Amino acid sequence: MSSTADTSVTARTDFEPVIGLEVHVQLLTASKIFCSCSTRFGAPPNTNVCPVCLGMPGALPVLNRKAVEFATLAAMALNCRINETSIFARKNYFYPDLPKGYQISQYDKPLAEFGYIGVQTLTTGGTGEHRVKKIGITRVHLEEDAGKSLHEGFPDSHEKTAIDLNRTGVPLIEIVSEPDIATPLEAYEYLTRLKEIILYTGVSDCNMEEGSLRCDANVSVRPRGQKELGTKAEIKNVNSFRFIREALEYEIARQVEVIEAGGKIVQETRLYNSHEGKTYSMRSKEQAHDYRYFPEPDLLPLVVDEKWKADIAKTLPELPEARRARLVTDYGITEYDAQVLTVSKALADQFEAAAKAAKNPKRVANLVQGELMGRLKAKGIEIESSPISMKGVAASADLVESGAISGKMLKDLYDLSFERGKDFPEIYDEEGRPQQSSDTSALEKIIDEVLAANPRQLEQYRGGKTTMIGFFVGQVMKASKGQANPQLVNELLVKKLAAGS
Ligand SMILES: [Zn+2]
C-alpha cells in the first residue's frame, strides 16, 4: 500500500474512525525495575529471577534509579510535563505469568502527562502537501513487565504451557496517546516517529521481535460530525507497525459494516491475524476489568525534584525533527535526504563527523545525496549496510576536492565498491591510488586529435557557437577514459582554440 494515498474505508464513507494507541517500551537498564536481576534477553528460562521478581511473600521492591531517569528522559523527549511526585500502584489481576497476583504500575498519579508527537499528515486538498499534526500524549508511566507463557517448543506443549519469568520485573514505560489519531496511516506515522524519538534518547532498543516495543490500538467509529465516541475495540499484540495499520484498516471497515447493517459494536479485545488480514475476537470486555488499583504500600512516592529533572534534561540529545531541519540548513541537502540520514542517531552522527572532518562538508553531503543514495536504492541496500561508510565518502570527497581524482573516476570507484562490497579507501588502494591526468603534453595531444576528428563542430565554434566548448571537453574526457582533470582540459582547450582562430 502506498504511504501517501489514504485509500482506507474512512475516505469513502460517512463514518470517521477514532484511534488511540498504547505503546509499551522496555527500558535498557542492566537490571530489573525493583530488584538486581539481569534484564538480558535470551538467557535460559527462569535463570534471571529472585524472591522479589518471583513475588515471594516478604520480599521488598527497591526502585531502580536508572529506570526512573530513562523514563523521565523519554517523557521529556515526548514533550511531557514531568510530575514532581508520582505514585506506584498495584494493578490486581490473576494470570499465570504474574506470580505476585498484581503488577506494580502507576495509576492516577503517573510520572508524566500532557505530551505530544508531531506527525506529518497529508492535507485534504489533494495537493500532496504535508502539514504537521500534534498527536497528544495523555501520559507516560513506569511499570514492571509480566512473565511469558510459552505455548510451544516443548515435547509436551500440546497439553502443557510453560512459564518463563525472566521478563518479570523488567522496566517498561507505557505511552498512552490521546484519541487524536484519525486514520490508520496517521497511526503508522505516530508509531514511526515515536520509535525514532525513543531510539534517539537511547533509553530502549525498540526491538519489536524481542518484545522491547509492543503496541495496542483502541479504535472506534462514529458518524462524521458526531461528538460522542463509538464503542471501541482493542487490538492487542500486533508485532509490526505495518500490521497495526492493516489491522486498523480491517477493523474500521468491519465496524462500519456492522453499524450500517443495523448491528452494534461490542467492546472487546481482538487479535490480528496477519496471514488472513483479519481481526478476531479474543475476549469480551463487557464486564470491564476491575483491577482494584491501590497505592503500592512497599514503595514511597517517587519524587523527581527540580535538581534531578535538570540533570536528566542535560542528557537530552538533539531530537530527530530538529536535527533534520538543521542538516537541511547546514549542508544544503534535501528534506528527503535529511530524513534518510537521520534514520538513526548513529548514522546522523557518522555523517556529521565525516562531513566536519572533510575539507568541504558540503561536498560530502553532495556525494551522499548524489552518488551514495542512488546506488543504495538501486541495489535495495539500507544505508546502515552501505559498503561505503561515511568516512569513505569523506575520503573520496577530499580526493575530488584536491583534484587528485575526477568526478568520473569517483563514480567508477564507487561502482567498484558496490561490486566488491568494500569501503572506498580500500578500493582506492586496490586500484593503485589512481590520479586524474594533469600531464599537460599528453592532454594537448588528445585535444589535437579531438579537434582534428571533429572539423564540423570546430567550424561551428569558430563561427561563434562558443558553447561548443562543452562538446570538446566531453570528447577529451571520453578519450582520456575519465582520467583527465576537467578544469585543466577546459583551460587547455580555450588556449588552443584561441591560438588556432
Ligand atoms: Zn529479581
Side-chain angles (χ1 to χ4, degrees):
M1 190 195 148
S2 156
S3 64
T4 51
D6 186 0
T7 57
S8 65
V9 66
T10 58
R12 291 183 270 113
T13 70
D14 299 330
F15 287 87
E16 61 175 4
V18 177
I19 302 165
L21 297 171
E22 290 171 14
V23 176
H24 286 91
V25 172
Q26 181 183 329
L27 301 175
L28 269 182
T29 56
S31 57
K32 294 186 180 180
I33 184 168
F34 299 122
C35 62
S36 55
C37 291
S38 167
T39 54
R40 197 169 63 83
F41 181 83
N46 301 308
T47 53
N48 293 336
V49 290
C50 75
V52 174
C53 53
L54 288 175
M56 300 288 185
L60 289 173
V62 178
L63 180 58
N64 181 337
R65 190 179 167 87
K66 196 80 204 166
V68 175
E69 290 176 350
F70 277 174
T72 306
L73 187 64
M76 285 174 174
L78 297 171
N79 305 298
C80 287
R81 190 189 80 189
I82 310 299
N83 292 326
E84 185 170 277
T85 304
S86 60
I87 307 280
F88 284 99
R90 290 187 179 181
K91 179 180 178 180
N92 298 279
Y93 65 98
F94 172 79
Y95 207 72
D97 63 15
L98 189 72
K100 290 201 295 283
Y102 60 84
Q103 177 194 25
I104 303 179
S105 180
Q106 294 188 309
Y107 183 50
D108 51 355
K109 292 216 167 65
L111 174 71
E113 294 170 280
F114 312 114
Y116 67 87
I117 293 177
V119 301
Q120 299 239 331
T121 56
L122 275 178
T123 53
T124 45
T127 53
E129 244 179 280
H130 287 81
R131 68 183 178 91
V132 174
K133 173 177 172 181
K134 281 183 182 177
I135 309 276
I137 290 173
T138 316
R139 54 192 277 144
V140 174
H141 71 246
L142 264 168
E143 63 183 28
E144 60 178 346
D145 207 348
K148 211 170 167 182
S149 298
L150 306 168
H151 303 287
E152 49 194 33
F154 298 97
D156 54 356
S157 285
H158 60 286
E159 51 178 7
K160 287 178 179 157
T161 293
I163 305 273
D164 178 8
L165 296 176
N166 280 349
R167 214 175 65 182
T168 312
V170 160
L172 303 176
I173 45 173
E174 181 173 338
I175 301 157
V176 182
S177 87
E178 289 287 306
D180 287 347
I181 300 164
T183 66
L185 185 60
E186 264 179 42
Y188 181 88
E189 286 297 317
Y190 169 88
L191 290 169
T192 305
R193 293 283 90 81
L194 170 64
K195 180 179 167 185
E196 189 178 70
I197 292 167
I198 298 292
L199 281 174
Y200 262 65
T201 64
V203 306
S204 174
D205 60 18
C206 295
N207 186 328
M208 291 189 87
E209 283 89 65
E210 294 179 4
S212 305
L213 190 153
R214 284 168 265 161
C215 177
D216 303 331
N218 289 306
V219 55
S220 62
V221 299
R222 63 182 170 193
R224 254 176 227 291
Q226 179 183 300
K227 277 248 160 64
E228 309 92 272
L229 294 170
T231 307
K232 69 181 176 187
E234 186 180 23
I235 308 171
K236 264 189 136 50
N237 300 333
V238 186
N239 62 6
S240 86
F241 294 170
R242 186 166 65 86
F243 289 161
I244 287 271
R245 191 172 71 186
E246 290 173 8
L248 286 168
E249 296 278 4
Y250 174 84
E251 183 57 22
I252 290 162
R254 185 190 71 85
Q255 291 186 13
V256 168
E257 213 170 285
V258 168
I259 294 169
E260 282 183 338
K264 268 196 163 169
I265 301 300
V266 186
Q267 186 175 336
E268 61 183 353
T269 300
R270 297 178 72 88
L271 296 179
Y272 181 63
N273 182 323
S274 58
H275 298 292
E276 297 174 31
K278 293 179 177 173
T279 62
Y280 287 97
S281 177
M282 185 170 96
R283 57 169 182 249
S284 163
K285 263 199 174 175
E286 279 189 300
Q287 304 91 20
H289 287 279
D290 179 7
Y291 291 118
R292 293 185 300 111
Y293 281 97
F294 62 82
E296 164 61 61
D298 292 335
L299 287 165
L300 289 168
L302 168 59
V303 177
V304 181
D305 60 20
E306 287 304 320
K307 164 87 176 56
W308 196 10
K309 221 161 74 178
D311 287 345
I312 297 168
K314 273 185 218 143
T315 66
L316 194 66
E318 183 182 29
L319 293 169
E321 208 49 57
R323 189 157 199 179
R324 270 194 282 281
R326 189 170 58 72
L327 289 189
V328 169
T329 332
D330 286 6
Y331 301 96
I333 58 177
T334 64
E335 294 223 3
Y336 173 81
D337 289 332
Q339 193 93 30
V340 176
L341 285 170
T342 52
V343 70
S344 75
K345 183 170 181 293
L347 182 69
D349 287 347
Q350 283 167 27
F351 166 72
E352 288 213 78
K356 279 178 189 148
K359 289 181 192 121
N360 181 348
K362 279 235 163 108
R363 192 184 286 280
V364 174
N366 286 341
L367 286 179
V368 168
Q369 183 160 275
E371 300 299 336
L372 190 62
M373 297 292 195
R375 284 177 175 78
L376 291 171
K377 215 169 179 188
K379 299 234 170 187
I381 303 172
E382 293 292 324
I383 195 159
E384 287 96 336
S385 323
S386 168
I388 303 178
S389 67
M390 286 300 156
K391 268 194 178 149
V393 175
S396 70
D398 281 352
L399 287 171
V400 176
E401 192 70 22
S402 68
I405 63 170
S406 65
K408 168 76 171 69
M409 289 166 75
L410 176 131
K411 284 176 201 281
D412 292 343
L413 290 164
Y414 270 39
D415 286 341
L416 286 177
S417 276
F418 273 76
E419 262 171 54
R420 299 180 194 165
K422 291 175 179 170
D423 204 351
F424 180 88
E426 209 179 329
I427 291 293
Y428 187 60
D429 284 345
E430 273 184 17
E431 291 299 295
R433 308 178 68 80
Q435 303 277 322
Q436 70 178 336
S437 176
S438 299
D439 179 347
T440 315
S441 60
L443 276 180
E444 280 180 329
K445 197 165 155 269
I446 295 177
I447 289 169
D448 286 339
E449 284 164 14
V450 164
L451 295 181
N454 298 283
R456 204 165 49 86
Q457 285 83 352
L458 186 59
E459 201 158 306
Q460 285 177 354
Y461 178 85
R462 299 220 158 114
K465 200 175 172 196
T466 50
T467 49
M468 203 47 85
I469 192 134
F471 166 79
F472 291 123
V473 172
Q475 292 300 306
V476 174
M477 290 306 294
K478 209 163 144 194
S480 75
K481 297 193 173 60
Q483 308 272 305
N485 178 336
Q487 226 171 318
L488 185 60
V489 171
N490 206 55
E491 276 168 36
L492 291 174
L493 260 170
V494 169
K495 235 186 266 172
K496 179 87 52 179
L497 288 166
S501 59

